Amino acid sequence: MEKTALIMAGGRGERFWPKSRKSLPKQFLSLTDDGKTMIQLTVERILPIVNIENIYIATNKDYLPLIKEQLPDLPEKNVICEPIGRNTAPCIAVSAAIISKKYDDALMMVLPSDHLIKYNNIYQQILSDACEVAEKDDNLVTVGITPDYPETGYGYIKFLNGETEGRAYKVEKFVEKPNLGLAKEYVASNEYLWNSGQFIWKVSTILNKLKEHMPETYEGALKIKDAYDTEKYDEVLNKVFPEFPSISIDYGIMEKSENIYVIPGTFGWDDVGSWLAVERIKKVNECGNIVDGNIVSINTKNCIIQGDKKLIATVGLEDLVIVDTEDATLICDKKSTADIKKILEELKGLNKNEYL
Amino acid sequence: MEKTALIMAGGRGERFWPKSRKSLPKQFLSLTDDGKTMIQLTVERILPIVNIENIYIATNKDYLPLIKEQLPDLPEKNVICEPIGRNTAPCIAVSAAIISKKYDDALMMVLPSDHLIKYNNIYQQILSDACEVAEKDDNLVTVGITPDYPETGYGYIKFLNGETEGRAYKVEKFVEKPNLGLAKEYVASNEYLWNSGQFIWKVSTILNKLKEHMPETYEGALKIKDAYDTEKYDEVLNKVFPEFPSISIDYGIMEKSENIYVIPGTFGWDDVGSWLAVERIKKVNECGNIVDGNIVSINTKNCIIQGDKKLIATVGLEDLVIVDTEDATLICDKKSTADIKKILEELKGLNKNEYL
């Protein structure tokens, strides 16, 4: 069966402010030493298993120019421009419907656009394995990450050790982000995986599920499908899409479904959740600093310093994140990166929207 | 006797980098909340006792445009432009000689351009008292600051409690910057004052001293005096000045002289020696921060943040100095401000002279 992919690229990623902005969210930034952006890397790593003609990107319409610039080989009609964000369920419904106009049926991988993966070969193998499980019956397959430590920032997936389907395990339940005590129990139990937000299913399977559990969204998606590739497409999309409820696929479909399988993977996955993640993915110098730009440092260690042309001089610093952009400079203690969003709230309150 | 003043404004002030630069040293910066520059404040505080026509400024020729801009009322011919720095003795010799072309004799106050004084009335009284002592005999008078604590960054003046002349005490000796133990002894003894680098004498007195102890410099100064106010002035100045030895007035004259008196003063003197001094002179907000510019802060305390239009966002910081300028940003731990000069050395080594 033909393989297709939907890359979801509508997110904001406030945690990389001030480099990420409303107008330039995380998936369009380069955070690795190779200079490639997150979405470029996402496309690149699935190209060995999915033809570029079969890769779809759902995003906010404002980002179309960025996508055309960063992914010039991707057909423009494969970019599904959401007039307004409606969470993942409507986005997946419309994309699945549009793909069903091209293929009677096809495999569909739903992937985030702003995660990193270190071992691409292993990852491609996992996706292929997932496709095998998804092709059989009406299985919904997700990719679970073998946890390294009791992370409290991710959701977890509990699987049933005894019930397998190919290389996948039957999912018992999805659980929300736990507190530290619970997270420790999950990791110790060997029955939980991290939820990486990646799904694999047949287009027919997910459309049937939508028809069953979210019939109005399903009907709306069919209207958009009918208009797709005609001159009415923009008009219909802009009319129908905003009427969708804002619901996640986890809540709208996964929690209500049987036949969910998880493929466990260990392929150097990183959701690059904050500036601290840069320590895991960029080269560290002999003082423990990660520096980019025009930097001069005296007695400075274990800092992340990301600048550009402007000179940044640091003296006697430790454990700071310093990010300089054209119009804003962030200086943040490493322990406080979760509070960067408070800066954005403050800026909103001050009506300084030009910095968001 | 007519009162004149020489303000010495040739210094660099590396410790206020990146705001201070070779092209804009500390005396031309505003470091107070009133927006006035250090040299503007220096002139302003002596105007009640010295006519502007009698205020002379010695500086590097490159700073003439800054002086004309910041002190438009000062006669341009009162600015003595040194073609090259030669420490304080030659600068004072030339200025005294030039003043002696205008007045047979006059009182001459020699003052730094980059110190702050809080209580101007008290200060003016001290200068007037010093003039009285200087007018009598051939006294050399200096202003000593009553020490608040055992500072190791200043020179000290030991005075003789018994020998007074008007409100001044006879100086026993000048001593170099002490170590902490010595500084504590000095302060405990009640016989030492801080050396503030301010001198008051008659023009005739200092010229006689120069003739005695630095005869070549004296002769050179007379040549410049002869050319002053004629078309040959620039030519003579540029020829004679670079030939002067580079010697301080302390070493060249004071240490070799008798009849030195010190007037003790307590008038809120501050030599504004580093960014930390800003804490003593600017308004501190409720979090202990001193902020100027476009700043948004979360959980930030006891920081000095000096910016301009560019947004500076700080999160979870304590005890840092952050200074943002057009082309360079400094982030420095308060304990490490003495190391800012290492940044300048590094920049020199990297041949990045545009930042010096």
Side-chain angles (χ1 to χ4, degrees), chain A residues 33 278-285 289-291:
Chain A
D33 285 322
V278 169
E279 294 189 304
R280 297 190 296 265
I281 52 187
K282 281 203 174 220
K283 247 192 243 122
V284 176
N285 72 14
N289 299 313
I290 293 158
V291 296

Side-chain angles (χ1 to χ4, degrees), chain A residues 17 294-299 309-317 320 322 324-333 336-337 339-340 342-343 346-347 350 352 355, chain B residues 17 294-299 309-317 320 322 324-333 336-337 339-340 342-343 346-347 350 352 355:
Chain A
W17 188 88
N294 183 9
I295 320 285
V296 175
S297 291
I298 302 289
N299 292 334
K309 280 183 205 134
K310 185 166 178 171
L311 175 68
I312 300 176
T314 69
V315 186
L317 305 183
L320 293 188
I322 298 168
D324 186 55
T325 66
E326 191 74 19
D327 61 346
T329 306
L330 168 73
I331 302 136
C332 176
D333 190 88
S336 302
T337 54
D339 286 342
I340 293 174
K342 292 187 185 165
I343 290 281
E346 183 106 3
L347 288 168
L350 294 166
K352 297 192 174 190
Y355 297 113
Chain B
W17 187 86
N294 184 10
I295 321 285
V296 175
S297 291
I298 302 291
N299 292 335
K309 281 183 204 132
K310 184 165 178 172
L311 176 68
I312 300 176
T314 68
V315 187
L317 304 185
L320 293 188
I322 299 168
D324 185 54
T325 66
E326 192 74 19
D327 61 346
T329 306
L330 168 74
I331 302 136
C332 176
D333 191 89
S336 303
T337 54
D339 287 342
I340 293 174
K342 292 187 187 166
I343 290 282
E346 182 108 2
L347 289 168
L350 293 166
K352 298 194 172 188
Y355 297 113

Side-chain angles (χ1 to χ4, degrees), chain B residues 159-164 169-170 189-191:
Chain B
F159 64 96
L160 298 164
N161 249 318
E163 294 188 44
T164 56
Y169 294 84
K170 184 128 196 206
S189 75
N190 291 325
E191 291 174 341

Side-chain angles (χ1 to χ4, degrees), chain B residues 47-210:
Chain B
L47 273 184
I49 51 173
V50 187
N51 190 301
I52 186 104
E53 303 284 331
N54 284 342
I55 297 177
Y56 293 78
I57 293 181
T59 189
N60 185 292
K61 64 176 170 19
D62 296 339
Y63 305 145
L64 181 61
L66 283 167
I67 290 175
K68 288 165 75 170
E69 186 192 321
Q70 297 191 0
L71 299 167
D73 295 338
L74 187 101
E76 188 177 333
K77 66 174 189 170
N78 287 18
V79 184
I80 295 157
C81 289
E82 306 172 1
I84 188 168
R86 279 290 177 256
N87 212 327
T88 49
C91 154
I92 289 168
V94 169
S95 306
I98 283 175
I99 294 170
S100 76
K101 192 161 184 172
K102 183 172 178 185
Y103 297 111
D104 280 345
D105 202 359
L107 284 156
M108 178 182 185
M109 307 171 204
V110 178
L111 310 170
S113 57
D114 60 351
H115 294 175
L116 283 180
I117 281 158
K118 212 183 269 176
Y119 306 107
N120 283 340
N121 288 340
I122 303 176
Y123 179 65
Q124 287 147 14
Q125 184 60 57
I126 297 272
L127 286 183
S128 299
D129 291 344
C131 284
E132 268 181 41
V133 179
E135 200 166 345
K136 215 172 151 189
D137 306 326
D138 288 336
N139 294 330
L140 300 169
V141 186
T142 182
V143 179
I145 310 294
T146 320
D148 294 328
Y149 61 94
E151 169 68 53
T152 56
Y154 302 147
Y156 283 70
I157 299 169
K158 184 165 193 236
F159 64 96
L160 298 164
N161 249 318
E163 294 188 44
T164 56
E165 175 68 67
R167 292 182 174 271
Y169 294 84
K170 184 128 196 206
V171 170
E172 184 186 324
K173 59 176 177 179
F174 289 85
V175 294
E176 298 287 310
K177 296 175 186 174
N179 60 35
L180 187 61
L182 268 181
K184 282 180 178 168
E185 279 180 37
Y186 292 170
V187 172
S189 75
N190 291 325
E191 291 174 341
Y192 287 83
L193 300 168
W194 287 338
N195 183 352
S196 72
Q198 304 181 74
F199 306 103
I200 302 96
W201 42 52
K202 282 181 293 193
V203 169
S204 59
T205 306
I206 193 67
L207 287 175
N208 283 333
K209 291 284 179 192
L210 286 159

